[in-house]
Every structure is written in C-alpha cells, then in structure tokens.
Amino acid sequence: MTNATKKLQTTVAGDPQEVEHQIRQRAYELYEEGGRQDGHELDNWLRAKEEITEKKARAASVSRF
C-alpha cells in the first residue's frame, strides 16, 4: 500500500479516537433527547455509531468527485 493510499484511507476513515468521541457525544445527545432515561445506552450508542459512520461515508463519497 502506498503512502498516498494510506493517507486517503486515514482521511476518509478519520482518527479512530475522534470517531469514538463523536459517537460518544452523539449518544449522549440521544440520551438527553430521550429524557435521560436509563436502560437505552446500547440503543443510543448503536444509533449514534450508525449516524456518524453514515455521515462519514457520505462525506467520503462526495470528496471522491
């Protein structure tokens, strides 16, 4: 794999720690939007992860053109 390919993949995927931070932040927003009800941690995390990864995938597909 060339350095250019690695750089492109890193740019598209983002820093894993940054992605996790974004997911964590969105999951907390969902928790607040849901009235701060306990017991929905996994649902909030999975929804946040889906939203963030979908957003990054859309951004990556747009940047290719």
Side-chain angles (χ1 to χ4, degrees), residues 27 30-31 34-46:
L30 292 169
Y31 167 72
R36 296 179 174 223
Q37 294 182 5
D38 291 335
H40 301 280
E41 295 86 359
L42 181 58
D43 293 332
N44 291 341
W45 182 269
L46 294 175

Side-chain angles (χ1 to χ4, degrees), residues 13-62:
D15 177 26
Q17 290 178 335
E18 177 61 27
V19 172
E20 184 176 341
H21 174 74
Q22 291 173 353
I23 294 169
R24 186 182 314 275
Q25 185 174 4
R26 180 61 184 139
Y28 186 76
E29 290 171 0
L30 292 169
Y31 167 72
E32 288 187 324
E33 290 171 10
R36 296 179 174 223
Q37 294 182 5
D38 291 335
H40 301 280
E41 295 86 359
L42 181 58
D43 293 332
N44 291 341
W45 182 269
L46 294 175
R47 181 173 167 197
K49 183 177 180 181
E50 183 177 338
E51 289 178 11
I52 298 301
T53 54
E54 183 178 299
K55 185 169 103 174
K56 289 196 171 293
R58 279 195 314 264
S61 67
V62 169

